[in-house]
Amino acid sequence: MKNKRICSAILCAVMLLMLLPTAAGAADANVVTDVSTVAELRAVLENNAGAHVRLTKDIAFTTANAADRDIGVYLGEGCYTIDLNGFTLKYHYMTGGEFSDKGSPLASGKARLLVINGPGSLIGGTHGLEQLDQFGTLIVNGGTFKGVMGFGIRMTGGIIYMNGGTVTGNFGGIEHEDGIVILNGG
């Protein structure tokens, strides 16, 4: 019985220590970087160090300057904060036929934490934002997420805290495949 208690205490301590890098990474992102171009945005968000960015104008991805034909920016493995600052982040292109709207401006596939602060918009031809990591956390503090052809937010894992904002899409607001959605507002 005593061994079980010791093992339980060690397991709890290890689990608490695993949460520390996320909090430390978020604290390192106190320097706010102003971005106004696709190149600046991709350079800051595609690294693993984490970042805090503020849009200073509308940014539109094309198939030529996006990460690939499906996603504008794949976030790195760090903790990220994006202040939309009243501007729009958009990736929407047409392939030529019916239901041919494609592209999502952001995908959080490896990021530990992504915080979106509104007002502003994320507009994608497919989805406004994709949360693809089963261990990632997304916090939405306002803004408009719109998927022209799909969903405002596509979630295949992790946790989303919706503290405000509007999420719309052709097929619905949030496509929830796996994970937890906590609606605090919006």
Side-chain angles (χ1 to χ4, degrees), residues 58-124:
D58 293 340
I59 297 176
F61 291 98
T62 65
T63 55
N65 65 15
D68 62 35
R69 290 184 56 89
D70 295 319
I71 304 295
V73 175
Y74 286 103
L75 299 177
E77 297 177 3
C79 298
Y80 304 89
T81 300
I82 300 173
D83 296 330
L84 296 174
N85 201 24
F87 294 102
T88 299
L89 189 57
K90 179 179 179 181
Y91 189 24
H92 176 208
Y93 70 92
M94 305 282 287
T95 59
E98 186 176 3
F99 302 112
S100 64
D101 300 284
K102 301 290 182 195
S104 298
L106 290 175
S108 178
K110 299 176 185 174
R112 292 178 293 187
L113 174 66
L114 172 59
V115 178
I116 306 282
N117 295 318
S121 303
L122 276 92
I123 301 171

Side-chain angles (χ1 to χ4, degrees), residues 151 153-158 160 174-181:
F151 294 86
I153 297 175
R154 177 177 179 244
M155 175 186 186
T156 61
I160 296 178
I174 297 176
E175 176 187 15
H176 179 262
E177 188 174 314
D178 194 9
I180 300 169
V181 177

